[in-house]
Amino acid sequence: MDDTDDGGFSVDKVIGNSPRIFRNKSLVSVGTVPDEERIVGRQEEITNVALSLEDLIYNDVPDNIQIYGKTGTGKSLVSRHVSTKISERAQDNGVHATNIYIDCNANNTITRASRTLYFSIYDELNEKYGLEDQSNISHPPKRGVGWKTYTEDLWEIVDEYYDGLVIILDEIDLLEEFNKLLHALSRARENDEIDTYISIVLISNKTTQFKSDVNQRVKSSMGGSEFVFSAYNAEQLENILENRRDAFEEGVLGENTISAAAELAADEHGDARKAIELLNKAGMMARRNMDETVTENHVNEARDLVEADLLSKSISTLPDQAKLVLYTLAKQLDGRTSTVSTSQVYDRYQTVAKDVESNVLGYQRVSDLLDELEFLGVTISERKGRGDRRGIKKDHELNHRPAIVLAATLAEDPRLQNLESVSSPEDILQ
Ligand SMILES: Nc1ncnc2c1ncn2[C@@H]1O[C@H](COP(=O)(O)OP(=O)(O)O)[C@@H](O)[C@H]1O
Ligand SMILES: [Mg+2]
C-alpha cells in the first residue's frame, strides 16, 4: 500500500469488512483444551491413564505414570482431560482432590516450577476459602526464596485441604534439575510430610534420553506405569479436524481443505498440532486475501509458515549459540550441497558469530551443539572417518527445508534478522 497517498483510507473500511471465515476460531487454536466431545479416538490411552489415577476417587493410592510420544500426539490433552475428570469424580465421592498442570517449557527452572506448583494450589484455595484472611496458614513466600520453601509450603496447604492430588509435569525433560524436584515430590508421603495421596504424571516428547537422565533413586521412588502415544495417521487427523469443522462458518471450507491439511500433517509424523495450525493459518490466509472460501491452496500456502512456526517453538529452548550454529548450517545448505562437515560449519560459524557480535565458541563446543541439534531432530548427522586434529568429524544435513530453518532461526534471534536485512522472518519464506 502507498503510504503517501491515503486517499480516504480509514480503518473503518477494514474492520468488519473481511469475509466471515471463522465462527469459533478458538476451536482451531492449539492452546485451547477442547471439550470431551471434541476428542477423537485415544480411548485406549484415556483408559490407561484413568485406571492409573482412579484410586484417588476412593481416597486410596494412585499410580505414578510416564507418558511418552512425539509432539502433537495428544499427551497433554489426554492427561489434562483425565485428571480433571478424576478430580470431579473424587469430589462427587466426597474426596477432596485436585490437579496441577505445570508446563516445564514455561517453567524450566526448579524454582519457577515449584513456585508455579505452590501458587496453582494457593490461588485455587484462596478463591474458594479466602486463605489470605486465615491465620493458621502461612502467607505465600516472598520472592527470592529457594525452591524448597515453595514445596514445603505447598505440603502445608495440600495436607490441610486435600486427600488427593495429581501433579502433571509436562515436557519434564526441559526442566533443569528435574531429578531434585521429582525426588522431593515422590518422597513427600514416605517422609511423613503429608497424608495426601499424590500421583505424578510425567510427560516427555523424548523417550530414550529423558529416561537415561532420571537417576536411580528417583526411578525407584517414582515407579509407576509407562505409556507411549503413537503418531496419528492421515485418517485420524482428518477425523480430529472434521470434529472441529464448526470453527468455520457454514460452507466456507472447500471440499478437500480438511483432507489436505490432514495429509500434510501426516507426512512428517502425524502431528495433530500441525494439522490444527494448518487449518487455522489457511483460514487466516483466505481472510487476508479477501477470499470467501478456504481451499487446499490456502493450506499449501500456510504450510511453510506453520512448519517454521513449529520449528521455532521446538528450538526456542536451545541456547542462543545453538541457534547461530543452526542458522550457519541452513545458510550453507541453502541450495548448494546437501551435507556439510563439522569443520565447514565451524569455519562459517565463526564469521556468523562475529557478525552478530557474539562471542565465538571453540570447535568442540560447536560440535556438541551440533549433537544437540541432532538430538532435537532438527538435523541428521553421520560420523565420517576417524576425525582429525580438531576432533570428531561428522556430516550434517537438515531435516527441514533450509528456508524453513532460516525463518525459524530468524524468528528466534533478531540479530539474525538484521544480518539478513529482513523486517520479519516470514519475508524469508516469500
Ligand atoms: N485425539 C485428539 N482429538 C482431538 N484433538 C486432539 C487429539 N489429539 C491432539 N489433539 C489436539 O492437537 C493439539 C496437540 O495435542 P497435545 O495434547 O498438545 O499434543 P502433545 O502434548 O502430545 O504434544 C492440541 O490442540 C489438542 O487439542
Ligand atoms: Mg504437550
Side-chain angles (χ1 to χ4, degrees), residues 29-34 38-42 69-78 170-171 203 205 229 232 240 244 271-273 276:
S29 306
V30 286
T32 317
V33 183
R38 304 274 176 196
I39 303 177
V40 180
R42 287 298 184 233
K70 296 206 165 116
T71 53
T73 54
K75 302 182 300 297
S76 305
L77 172 64
V78 167
D170 202 351
E171 309 219 26
I203 305 177
N205 300 331
F229 284 27
Y232 295 111
I240 291 174
R244 300 181 187 220
D271 179 339
R273 178 173 297 117
I276 292 170

Side-chain angles (χ1 to χ4, degrees), residues 224-240:
S225 331
E226 219 180 274
F227 304 114
V228 179
F229 284 27
S230 53
Y232 295 111
N233 59 33
E235 195 188 329
Q236 291 169 312
L237 293 173
E238 194 168 333
N239 292 337
I240 291 174

Side-chain angles (χ1 to χ4, degrees), residues 123 130 325:
D123 292 344
V325 171

Side-chain angles (χ1 to χ4, degrees), residues 100-120 143 168-178 181 317:
I100 313 180
Y101 174 85
I102 306 285
D103 171 5
C104 297
N105 187 9
N107 296 275
N108 66 342
T109 67
I110 190 166
T111 316
R112 247 176 265 161
S114 320
R115 196 180 137 81
T116 306
L117 268 171
Y118 171 81
F119 275 103
S120 17
R143 271 190 175 276
I168 303 171
L169 295 166
D170 202 351
E171 309 219 26
I172 177 72
D173 49 285
L174 299 178
L175 176 65
E176 292 163 15
E177 304 184 280
F178 60 77
L181 185 66
T317 51

Side-chain angles (χ1 to χ4, degrees), residues 364-387:
Q364 189 52 47
R365 276 294 294 139
V366 169
S367 164
D368 293 344
L369 291 174
L370 282 163
D371 289 344
E372 264 190 66
L373 291 169
E374 183 186 22
F375 170 68
L376 204 61
V378 183
T379 60
I380 306 168
S381 310
E382 196 178 332
R383 189 158 176 170
K384 64 165 196 195
R386 296 167 147 272

Side-chain angles (χ1 to χ4, degrees), residues 120-378:
S120 17
I121 291 288
Y122 182 86
D123 292 344
E124 177 177 316
L125 287 170
N126 196 24
E127 208 165 283
K128 272 198 201 145
Y129 308 112
L131 291 195
E132 273 160 358
D133 311 323
Q134 293 186 23
S135 53
N136 59 328
I137 291 290
S138 27
H139 290 292
K142 296 258 180 303
R143 271 190 175 276
V145 300
W147 67 275
K148 280 202 164 137
T149 309
Y150 288 114
T151 52
E152 281 158 14
D153 286 15
L154 173 72
W155 298 147
E156 187 190 331
I157 48 178
V158 163
D159 197 35
E160 177 81 21
Y161 287 93
Y162 288 111
D163 307 312
L165 175 67
V166 180
I167 300 178
I168 303 171
L169 295 166
D170 202 351
E171 309 219 26
I172 177 72
D173 49 285
L174 299 178
L175 176 65
E176 292 163 15
E177 304 184 280
F178 60 77
N179 276 308
K180 281 192 195 163
L181 185 66
L182 293 183
H183 191 247
L185 298 182
S186 61
R187 293 298 292 272
R189 237 187 102 84
E190 290 168 46
N191 293 347
D192 276 337
E193 290 169 271
I194 43 172
D195 290 324
T196 312
Y197 293 113
I198 297 186
S199 171
I200 303 171
V201 178
L202 298 183
I203 305 177
S204 170
N205 300 331
K206 299 173 191 144
T207 320
T208 33
Q209 203 234 348
F210 171 70
K211 278 204 245 173
S212 61
D213 285 352
V214 179
N215 76 29
Q216 210 47 49
R217 235 165 29 133
V218 169
K219 266 187 198 138
S220 61
S221 65
M222 283 274 307
S225 331
E226 219 180 274
F227 304 114
V228 179
F229 284 27
S230 53
Y232 295 111
N233 59 33
E235 195 188 329
Q236 291 169 312
L237 293 173
E238 194 168 333
N239 292 337
I240 291 174
L241 296 181
E242 270 302 337
N243 216 23
R244 300 181 187 220
R245 182 181 269 280
D246 51 334
F248 294 86
E249 288 287 353
E250 195 75 38
V252 158
L253 286 182
E255 204 184 325
N256 300 321
T257 312
I258 285 188
S259 56
E263 254 157 52
L264 270 188
D267 258 2
E268 213 174 310
H269 76 250
D271 179 339
R273 178 173 297 117
K274 184 168 174 186
I276 292 170
E277 287 277 2
L278 278 169
L279 206 52
N280 180 323
K281 289 269 173 4
M284 306 285 263
M285 294 240 165
R287 193 166 71 175
R288 188 163 304 173
N289 296 344
M290 295 287 175
D291 296 336
E292 291 182 354
T293 50
V294 185
T295 64
E296 214 177 322
N297 293 340
H298 293 119
V299 172
N300 289 329
E301 277 173 47
R303 179 186 177 175
D304 284 356
L305 269 183
V306 169
E307 286 180 3
D309 210 42
L310 291 175
L311 181 61
S312 79
K313 287 203 183 87
S314 84
I315 63 173
S316 66
T317 51
L318 288 173
D320 285 349
Q321 289 280 3
K323 294 171 194 166
L324 293 185
V325 171
L326 182 58
Y327 167 82
T328 308
L329 197 56
K331 287 299 274 185
Q332 287 178 302
L333 294 174
D334 200 3
R336 280 166 299 246
T337 50
S338 65
T339 68
V340 280
S341 69
T342 311
S343 306
Q344 287 168 320
V345 177
Y346 187 67
D347 292 340
R348 178 77 173 266
Y349 154 81
Q350 297 176 67
T351 318
V352 171
K354 283 179 199 141
D355 284 347
V356 299
E357 293 172 15
S358 160
N359 59 328
V360 181
L361 300 178
Y363 183 86
Q364 189 52 47
R365 276 294 294 139
V366 169
S367 164
D368 293 344
L369 291 174
L370 282 163
D371 289 344
E372 264 190 66
L373 291 169
E374 183 186 22
F375 170 68
L376 204 61
V378 183

